[in-house]
Amino acid sequence: MPNVAVVAGGAGGMVLAAAHVVGRDSAVVISDVDPDRLRAAERELSEAGIVCTATVCDITDRGSVAALVTELVRLCNLGPWARRPQLAYVLSKNFVIWHSKAMAADFGAKGARVLSVSPGSFDTAMGQLEKNVAAGALAQLGAL
């Protein structure tokens, strides 16, 4: 799967609706604690032409989340060589950017401003190596 979106709590409501939108451009992995609702949501997304995989996951349980990550690694064909130690860092930074955009949309209409400060690159030999990826890619997203 080239582009994969993980949708936690995707068995219904607004989150399932979001999976429909995200599924226009990406394969979707939905997770939820309710296996029956999860299967129904997977069926609904598949019938809508969305490549979908459903995995039961309780995000409050560390072991359950680890099982979800293992499933994602399998689905995305990521062998041990492809796993990078900075994966958690990259995921957390992307979440902060996403969350900041969501908060900016919510509060911007009320005149408030949301600022997200993410580490960037320095203009060094190493920084030039990261110009189009890693911290350099984060810089492309700009300030909110």
Side-chain angles (χ1 to χ4, degrees):
M1 290 183 200
N3 294 318
V4 178
V6 179
V7 182
M14 292 186 322
V15 182
L16 178 56
H20 276 278
V21 173
V22 173
R24 294 176 191 158
D25 300 316
S26 303
V28 177
V29 175
I30 56 173
S31 66
D32 201 276
V33 294
D34 186 328
D36 296 331
R37 290 182 63 213
L38 191 59
R39 279 191 296 279
E42 180 181 31
R43 202 169 31 256
E44 179 182 323
L45 290 166
S46 295
E47 288 171 359
I50 296 169
V51 176
C52 178
T53 301
T55 302
V56 174
C57 180
D58 177 356
I59 63 167
T60 66
D61 177 57
R62 200 177 276 266
S64 187
V65 172
L68 173 62
V69 170
T70 299
E71 179 66 6
L72 290 172
V73 167
R74 186 190 69 73
L75 286 170
C76 296
N77 240 358
L78 295 176
W81 59 269
R83 292 182 218 165
R84 309 226 190 283
Q86 67 270 32
L87 180 60
Y89 176 81
V90 171
L91 290 173
S92 69
K93 293 304 162 209
N94 280 289
F95 172 80
V96 168
I97 291 166
W98 170 83
H99 186 66
S100 296
K101 285 181 179 180
M103 298 279 69
D106 288 345
F107 292 104
K110 297 175 177 131
R113 189 174 285 203
V114 174
L115 175 64
S116 170
V117 179
S118 296
S121 291
F122 292 92
D123 191 12
T124 63
M126 179 63 91
Q128 290 301 311
L129 292 174
E130 295 182 333
K131 189 162 65 173
N132 296 318
V133 297
L138 287 175
Q140 296 295 321
L141 294 172
L144 298 176

